[in-house]
Amino acid sequence: MDIQKIVSELEREQERIGKAIAALVESASSSITTWTSRGARKTAAPGKRKKRRGGITPAGRRRLSQAMKKRWAERKRKKS
């Protein structure tokens, strides 16, 4: 059998399974989680998710830096 033919058959099978999973999930309930045709999970209601905020603030970064420097200094003193 040709490898390209095998790959195309497997892709068709994967799509069929993905559709079957999506149909089962949809019929079971209107839950937040659904399945894509590739089998990956995704959320059906993106408005209900919390938005991720930015990283650490400059002030927070400064406080963290000072705390770590203090910690490292104490550890260095204990070793001596």
Side-chain angles (χ1 to χ4, degrees):
M1 234 181 178
D2 184 17
I3 291 185
Q4 190 65 21
K5 187 176 180 180
I6 294 170
V7 170
S8 65
E9 286 179 19
L10 287 172
E11 286 173 342
R12 277 187 264 138
E13 182 72 12
Q14 182 181 21
E15 188 171 329
R16 186 184 68 76
I17 291 171
K19 287 179 182 179
I21 290 172
L24 286 171
V25 169
E26 187 176 326
S27 68
S29 68
S30 60
S31 65
I32 294 175
T33 304
T34 59
W35 297 90
T36 64
S37 62
R38 292 255 183 213
R41 291 177 72 162
K42 69 176 184 178
T43 57
K48 293 186 179 181
R49 286 188 288 172
K50 285 188 175 181
K51 289 191 177 185
R52 202 174 247 210
R53 298 200 177 195
I56 191 167
T57 64
R61 189 176 295 115
R62 215 172 301 115
R63 283 193 306 270
L64 182 60
S65 174
Q66 290 169 350
M68 290 305 291
K69 285 178 184 178
K70 182 180 175 183
R71 179 180 175 210
W72 293 329
E74 288 174 6
R75 292 180 97 186
K76 190 173 181 181
R77 270 188 295 227
K78 284 185 180 180
K79 283 186 179 182
S80 298

